[in-house]
């Protein structure tokens, strides 16, 4: 017994040592994670010192020394003597702050998450590969490397990232590698292409073709077109109505025959309407300075680390500042001494689905244009952590990949089975060339030439210059299709349904120096009905666009601050239109309903963070839509459908108060009227808010109900997130902050003839991807308040300024 007592502590110690240094499933070795020498404690960084610091680093691959100056926001200002060193330094410095984010996002884009988390990531990985993510990136890279300067920048950027990776030790690994227990791998240009391609997945992969086809099957074309019109009831298009065409249109292809196709057993989610953006530029005749002012705020998923990384890049022939995307060279949205530009998503219909008829179970041939044609096969190999590799076969037709076969269950249920995907994102492109040239552009003609290289996802490129020009191009590679081709599923055997080429770039919608004195976009319809080509039938609701145009139309003597104020505009234009139509129908309210109605009647229509009226109205719209449309369009899970938009509901209220759609077909022996549906939806609204928040009071304020959060990229990692941020706005509001999405970068730039633009910006996060850094989330509070930080635009490395906190010399 004594011997056992002597050895027992040693046995326990050995067991714990083994346990703490062993992987348990996908969990990391906890001893390694908790180690005071190598664990997460090491990742804590000291707060910025008040005195300026200097550092010299040796970076393999540099040709000449590079100076890097960090300002008080930890933004690097990079001064290089040649392009190669500039992009090598950009790769190195970005990886230094954001390596885990860069690699995790490209693993996701490339369908490789299962290498990190095991088999639970396989469904997502298979979806990415089946949709052609890696194939599309390979195609894009083919286009990018055809331009020697783009190829050189990609290679130099990769070399910089790899130089940082090679400098890491177990001790200095970013925290997330320790949490997930894996190591970074060598960076290659394909990873940059994957990162850029993933933006097409985020911004241009929404598809309603299946749901619209289910409506066509059940109700017929007349009803489908009546309830889902091809142009909204209320709109303020991006290109002002009456803008003359400066081109001769090509002939429009003949429309293919209507196609009903096979049925579906899938339940499909709606597109996320909150992934959008705002941008505008105001001409000098409407500003106090007499120079154009440009503003941009892309609305994307709010995340930590931030989607964006600020940087200034200076070398012979270039001096540019703005937001970069970790994983790709160049500045994506920003300014130089002569021009400024920004982007919003177009949302055009560049994704179509073709039902495929295979010859037999081998799927080696498919029927098209009256004959059997050969498929091609792409073998995808998946490495799964802790398990054997998995091999998948993807069949390609001339349209594209057959994403899910008829016997398979799709990962995202808006994907029709047995259909091939035709998508601009799977074609060769050269986005790196676009941004390389745009970063150096000095005037309108050079801006226009640069964006011709940008294919997908199509973007509204807003522009302003210190020569006094403002412009906007609805820019991308758009298929030349028949009107409404792709609103519904297409017949893959019919050659009339194939794409017939592409709209020439010069025919893309555009406007320069319009008489109204401003250009703007907010993801609404690009053009009015006079535009000769079909770009799509469904774009973002017009609320933000109409509000922006409404304010800019009356704005004179504009300043940077007045445009910052517009970015933070919380006015609810939808409520202004709907409330006078809704409130009269709420008769005989109970006391709780009466109190809520009183709040709405006194509401200033601002979705401010402390507003209770905003909570009541926004929740009411959701329940009104559900009460009106769910019985006809959400009742059958085997045939999922869209529901008509709020714009269509408004038109129904004004023009068709007696329409059959007001009756709830699920209630027996009763026929509901418009008043019935409006009243019962309001009562359900108050009941649901009371159940969720208790009696009407402080917990009903808008920001507490909306619960905007900036969440870590690892799901459920609340400790590394910022939740329930006090901010107003909403999906249909110019200040478009929702629960998980919002303005991911706000920029306002006033051009100057002297070449010293006056610029301000902020994003909800910080420069560092390290949760142990003071710069991890230090800009969130500024962002939530609607404030901007002045951006330091330097012309030379020895420029006098009190904002520099650290100097770094990179040498070979």
């Amino acid at each position: 017994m004594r011997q056992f007592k002597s050895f027992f502590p040693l046995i326990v110690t050995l067991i714990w040592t083994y346990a703490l240094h062993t992987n348990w499933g996908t969990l990391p070795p906890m001893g390694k994670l908790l180690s005071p020498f190598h664990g997460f404690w090491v990742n804590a960084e000291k707060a910025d010192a008040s005195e300026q610091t200097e550092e010299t680093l040796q970076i393999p691959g540099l040709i000449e020394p590079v100076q890097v100056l960090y300002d008080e926001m930890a933004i690097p200002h990079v001064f290089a003597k040649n392009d190669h060193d500039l992009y090598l330094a950009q790769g190195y410095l970005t990886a230094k702050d954001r390596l885990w984010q860069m690699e995790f996002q490209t693993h996701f884009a490339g369908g490789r998450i299962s290498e990190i988390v095991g088999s639970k990531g396989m469904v997502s990985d298979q979806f990415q590969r089946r949709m052609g993510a890696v194939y599309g990136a390979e195609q894009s890279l083919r286009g990018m490397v055809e331009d020697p300067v783009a190829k050189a920048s990609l290679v130099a950027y990769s070399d910089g990232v790899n130089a940082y990776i090679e400098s890491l030790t177990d001790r200095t690994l970013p925290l997330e590698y320790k949490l997930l227990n894996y190591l970074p791998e060598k960076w290659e240009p394909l990873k940059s292409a994957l990162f850029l391609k993933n933006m097409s997945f985020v911004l241009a992969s929404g598809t309603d073709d299946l749901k619209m086809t289910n409506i066509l099957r059940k109700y017929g074309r007349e009803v489908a077109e009546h309830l889902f019109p091809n142009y909204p009831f209320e709109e303020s298009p991006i290109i002002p109505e009456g803008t003359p065409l400066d081109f001769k249109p090509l002939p429009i292809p003949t429309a293919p025959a209507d196609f009903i196709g096979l049925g579906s057993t899938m339940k499909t989610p709606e597109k996320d309407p909150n992934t959008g953006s705002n941008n505008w530029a105001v001409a000098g005749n409407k500003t106090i300075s007499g120079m154009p002012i440009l503003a941009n705020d892309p609305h994307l998923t709010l995340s930590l680390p931030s989607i964006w990384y600020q940087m200034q890049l200076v070398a012979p022939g270039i001096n540019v500042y703005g937001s970069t995307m970790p994983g790709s060279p160049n500045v994506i949205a920003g300014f130089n001494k002569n021009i400024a530009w920004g982007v919003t998503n177009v949302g055009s219909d560049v994704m179509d689905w073709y039902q495929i008829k295979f010859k037999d179970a081998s799927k080696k041939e498919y029927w098209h244009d009256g004959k059997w044609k050969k498929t091609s096969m792409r073998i995808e190999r998946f490495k799964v952590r802790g398990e054997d590799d998995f091999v998948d076969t993807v069949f390609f037709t001339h349209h594209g990949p057959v994403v899910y076969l008829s016997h398979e269950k799709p990962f995202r249920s808006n994907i029709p089975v047995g259909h091939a995907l035709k998508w601009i994102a799977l074609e060769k492109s050269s986005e790196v060339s676009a941004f390389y040239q745009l970063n150096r552009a000095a005037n309108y003609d050079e801006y226009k030439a640069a964006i011709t290289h940008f294919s997908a996802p199509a973007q509204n490129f807003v522009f302003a210059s210190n020569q006094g020009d403002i412009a906007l191009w609805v820019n991308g590679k758009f298929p030349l299709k028949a009107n409404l081709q792709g609103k519904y599923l297409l017949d893959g055997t019919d050659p009339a349904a194939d794409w017939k080429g592409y709209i020439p770039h010069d025919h893309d919608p555009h406007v320069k120096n319009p008489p109204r004195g401003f250009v703007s976009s907010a993801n609404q319809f690009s053009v009015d009905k006079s535009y000769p080509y079909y770009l799509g039938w469904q774009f973002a609701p017009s609320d933000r666009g109409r509000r922006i145009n409404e304010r800019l139309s009356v704005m004179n003597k504009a300043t940077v601050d007045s445009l910052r104020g517009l970015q933070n505009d919380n006015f609810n234009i939808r409520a202004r239109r709907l409330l006078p139509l809704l409130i009269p129908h709420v008769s005989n309210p109970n006391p709780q309903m009466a109190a809520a109605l009183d709040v709405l009647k006194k509401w200033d229509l601002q979705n401010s963070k402390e507003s209770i009226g905003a909570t009541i109205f926004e929740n009411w719209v959701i329940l009104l839509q559900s009460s009106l449309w769910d019985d006809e369009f959400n009742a059958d899970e085997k045939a999922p459908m869209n529901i008509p938009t709020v714009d269509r509901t408004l038109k129904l209220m004004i023009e068709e108060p007696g329409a059959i759609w007001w009756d709830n077909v699920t209630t027996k022996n009763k026929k509901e009227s418009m008043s019935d549906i409006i009243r019962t939806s309001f009562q359900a609204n108050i009941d649901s808010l009371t159940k969720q928040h208790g009696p009407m009071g402080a917990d009903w304020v808008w920001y507490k109900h909306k619960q905007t959060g900036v969440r870590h990229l690892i799901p459920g990692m609340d400790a590394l997130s910022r939740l329930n941020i006090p901010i107003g706005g909403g999906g249909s509001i110019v200040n478009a902050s929702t629960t998980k999405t919002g303005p991911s970068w706000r920029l306002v730039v006033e051009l100057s003839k002297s070449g010293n633009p006056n610029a301000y910006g902020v994003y909800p996060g910080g420069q560092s991807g390290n949760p142990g850094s003071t710069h991890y989330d230090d800009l969130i509070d500024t962002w939530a308040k609607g404030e901007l930080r002045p951006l330091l635009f330097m012309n030379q490395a020895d420029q006098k300024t009190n904002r520099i906190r650290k100097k770094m010399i990179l040498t070979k």
Side-chain angles (χ1 to χ4, degrees), residues 534-791:
Y534 173 67
L535 297 178
W537 70 277
Q538 185 183 38
F539 290 79
S542 66
D543 306 87
R544 285 183 289 113
R546 286 188 290 121
R547 176 59 178 169
I548 290 167
N549 291 345
E550 183 179 274
R551 284 199 58 184
L552 290 177
S553 294
V554 299
M555 189 179 291
N556 291 298
K557 298 183 179 179
T559 64
V560 165
D561 198 55
S562 57
L563 295 191
R564 177 201 63 82
L566 179 52
Q567 287 182 333
N568 290 276
D569 185 281
N570 284 324
F571 184 77
N572 197 317
I573 195 171
R574 179 177 287 179
R576 183 178 68 187
R577 192 74 164 95
L578 279 175
L579 278 180
L581 300 173
L582 292 172
I583 288 177
H585 293 280
V586 184
S587 57
N588 301 317
N590 62 34
Q592 292 79 16
M593 293 168 64
L597 279 175
D598 188 55
V599 169
L600 286 178
K601 291 174 182 177
K602 296 176 181 177
W603 180 36
D604 60 4
L605 304 185
Q606 296 284 337
N607 274 31
S608 55
K609 63 183 180 180
E610 300 291 346
S611 173
I612 292 177
T615 301
I616 296 171
F617 174 77
E618 295 286 1
N619 204 53
W620 190 6
V621 170
I622 294 170
L623 292 176
L624 174 65
Q625 285 288 95
S626 178
S627 298
L628 173 56
W629 301 114
D630 279 359
D631 58 319
E632 284 96 357
F633 295 94
N634 264 338
D636 186 357
E637 292 189 0
K638 293 183 179 181
M641 306 177 191
N642 276 348
I643 66 168
T645 63
V646 174
D647 178 82
R648 188 63 187 85
T649 297
L650 171 65
K651 186 175 182 181
L652 196 75
M653 293 173 64
I654 295 172
E655 298 183 358
E656 302 177 74
I660 60 171
W661 306 106
W662 293 107
D663 179 39
N664 186 342
V665 298
T666 65
T667 57
K668 296 181 179 179
N669 303 319
K670 183 180 180 182
K671 183 176 181 180
E672 286 82 6
S673 66
M674 181 172 73
S675 293
D676 292 333
I677 294 298
I678 293 173
R679 187 189 186 283
T680 56
S681 67
F682 186 71
Q683 182 168 354
N685 176 33
I686 303 310
D687 291 345
S688 69
L689 290 174
T690 302
K691 183 178 180 180
Q692 186 175 354
H693 302 301
M696 186 167 62
D699 288 339
W700 283 41
V701 299
W702 180 226
Y703 89 87
K704 291 184 179 180
H705 177 75
K706 178 162 61 78
Q707 295 188 340
T708 297
V710 186
R711 294 165 173 81
H712 192 272
L713 285 170
I714 300 176
M717 194 66 70
D718 288 356
L720 304 182
S721 306
R722 287 282 297 274
L723 304 177
N724 204 19
I725 296 170
I727 185 172
S732 62
I733 308 299
V734 177
N735 178 20
S737 61
T738 69
T739 302
K740 294 184 177 181
T741 65
S744 61
W745 160 244
R746 290 194 183 110
L747 172 70
V748 180
V749 183
E750 183 176 57
L751 278 303
S752 167
K753 288 189 179 296
S754 69
N756 292 301
N758 184 24
Y760 297 81
V762 74
Y763 51 69
Q767 283 290 99
S768 178
N770 177 14
S773 168
T774 56
H775 294 293
Y776 175 67
D777 62 354
D778 58 325
L779 299 177
I780 289 180
D781 292 336
T782 301
W783 172 83
K785 293 174 185 175
E787 299 172 353
L788 300 175
R789 297 282 185 92
L791 304 181

Side-chain angles (χ1 to χ4, degrees), residues 423-496:
W423 189 16
I424 287 291
L426 303 184
E427 301 187 8
K428 190 167 70 172
S429 61
S430 54
E431 281 74 24
V432 172
S433 298
F435 291 116
Y436 181 92
Q437 294 182 24
L438 195 55
N439 285 192
R440 292 161 172 76
N443 52 50
Y444 173 80
D445 289 338
E446 292 179 4
Y447 144 83
K448 178 184 172 183
I451 62 177
T452 61
H453 298 285
F454 190 92
S455 298
Q459 297 290 292
N460 300 300
F461 278 85
V462 71
F463 166 87
S465 76
N466 63 359
Q467 295 98 46
D469 292 322
I470 60 171
L472 190 149
W473 275 76
V474 180
N475 187 82
K477 189 176 182 181
F478 302 110
L480 180 62
K481 299 197 290 187
N483 188 40
L484 304 185
Q485 183 179 343
K487 182 175 182 177
Y488 308 97
L489 299 177
L490 296 166
D491 182 359
T493 71
D494 182 6

Side-chain angles (χ1 to χ4, degrees), residues 484-555:
L484 304 185
Q485 183 179 343
K487 182 175 182 177
Y488 308 97
L489 299 177
L490 296 166
D491 182 359
T493 71
D494 182 6
D498 290 1
W499 290 2
K500 298 298 188 292
Y502 301 93
I503 298 172
H505 183 268
D506 283 349
H507 297 198
D508 288 355
H510 59 276
V511 63
K512 178 185 178 185
N513 298 329
R516 67 183 186 180
F518 67 90
V519 293
S520 73
S521 74
N523 317 113
Q524 74 270 42
F525 264 73
S526 303
V527 291
D528 62 22
K529 296 178 182 179
S530 67
Y531 183 70
Y533 301 110
Y534 173 67
L535 297 178
W537 70 277
Q538 185 183 38
F539 290 79
S542 66
D543 306 87
R544 285 183 289 113
R546 286 188 290 121
R547 176 59 178 169
I548 290 167
N549 291 345
E550 183 179 274
R551 284 199 58 184
L552 290 177
S553 294
V554 299
M555 189 179 291

